């Protein structure tokens, strides 16, 4: 959907580097989410945010940091990338708790 | 972490055959949602079921929510090549804050 954009679409980096994935939505949705998608695991929630300045851990938060200073942006940072964090990362937003989510196109991240 | 069981993991069908995927939970759900992800694409919301025993249809797709609100199914009648992709259920357990996504069923349609 054009209303939620992720950047970059593809990223290759090395272990130990810091990398930030960006997510921007134009719907003013209060909720935003970060998922990783790996073969055999489906979509696993990393972090979510119910509103600006409110964030909370999901299923697999270790090694990741998020912030939400503005409603429309929800960046995800890998502070010291590891090979196990190679994955496809999806950002999503929804207007309320438990409501349908709208996904971005994803970022394919490879860590060498 | 929690895993939502979805079966089967993979399904290959001839074009024109029917297809069904099932989602099962050990706990009562507030609602269940279904998403479709085309190869190389992102998940796209299809439908939300809220009521016990609810049945909803979208053209050739039929979605059901179990009477006990612990399971759901998606049935596609007379599959077409445009149905190819992975179908995910996403559960919202009673009292929980977030959806838990199933592992998905990957559908291949052979022309």
């Amino acid at each position: 959907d054009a209303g939620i954009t992720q950047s970059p679409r593809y990223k290759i980096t090395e272990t130990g580097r810091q990398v930030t994935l960006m997510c921007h939505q134009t719907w003013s949705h209060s909720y935003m989410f970060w998922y990783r998608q790996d073969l055999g695991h489906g979509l696993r929630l990393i972090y979510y945010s119910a509103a600006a300045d409110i964030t909370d851990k999901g299923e697999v938060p270790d090694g990741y940091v998020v912030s939400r200073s503005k409603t429309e942006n929800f960046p995800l940072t890998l502070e010291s990338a590891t090979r196990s964090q190679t994955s496809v990362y999806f950002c999503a937003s929804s207007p309320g708790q438990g409501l349908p989510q709208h996904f971005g196109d994803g970022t394919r991240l490879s860590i060498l | 972490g929690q895993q939502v069981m979805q079966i089967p993991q993979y399904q290959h069908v001839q074009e024109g055959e029917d297809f069904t995927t099932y989602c099962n939970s050990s706990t009562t759900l507030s609602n269940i949602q279904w998403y479709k992800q085309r190869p190389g694409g992102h998940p796209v919301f299809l439908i939300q079921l809220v009521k016990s025993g609810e049945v909803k249809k979208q053209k050739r797709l039929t979605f059901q929510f179990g009477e006990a609100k612990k399971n759901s199914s998606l049935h596609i009648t007379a599959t077409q090549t445009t149905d190819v992709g992975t179908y995910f259920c996403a559960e919202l357990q009673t009292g929980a804050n977030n959806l838990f996504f199933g592992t998905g069923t990957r559908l291949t349609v052979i022309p």
Side-chain angles (χ1 to χ4, degrees), chain B residues 39-92:
Chain B
H42 60 272
V44 175
F45 170 75
L46 294 176
I47 209 155
Q48 177 173 286
L49 304 171
V50 179
K51 299 176 186 175
S52 167
E54 190 169 15
V55 177
K56 287 188 176 180
K57 292 191 175 186
Q58 288 179 351
K59 296 183 181 177
R60 294 177 295 104
L61 276 63
T62 302
F63 303 84
Q64 287 192 301
F65 202 6
E67 292 288 343
K69 299 183 76 174
K70 289 186 175 182
N71 55 73
S72 181
S73 64
L74 158 58
H75 179 81
I76 302 179
T77 304
T79 54
Q80 300 175 358
T81 53
T82 53
D83 295 326
V84 162
T86 301
Y87 292 84
F88 292 96
C89 63
E91 303 181 342
L92 182 68

Side-chain angles (χ1 to χ4, degrees), chain A residues 33 35 41-46 48 57-60 98 101 103, chain B residues 1-6 23-25 27 29 31-35 88-104:
Chain A
F33 308 86
Y35 293 91
H41 289 280
L43 289 156
R44 291 184 292 175
L45 182 65
I46 304 170
Y48 69 99
K57 295 178 180 179
E59 288 179 76
V60 289
Q101 298 182 10
F103 285 78
Chain B
Q2 175 169 342
Q3 286 259 301
V4 176
M5 293 312 299
Q6 211 177 322
C23 199
N24 296 304
S25 173
T27 60
L29 306 173
N31 73 52
I32 194 159
Q33 299 172 18
W34 285 92
Y35 292 77
F88 292 96
C89 63
E91 303 181 342
L92 182 68
Q93 294 181 355
T94 304
N97 291 324
N98 290 301
L99 296 173
F100 284 96
F101 280 80
T103 48

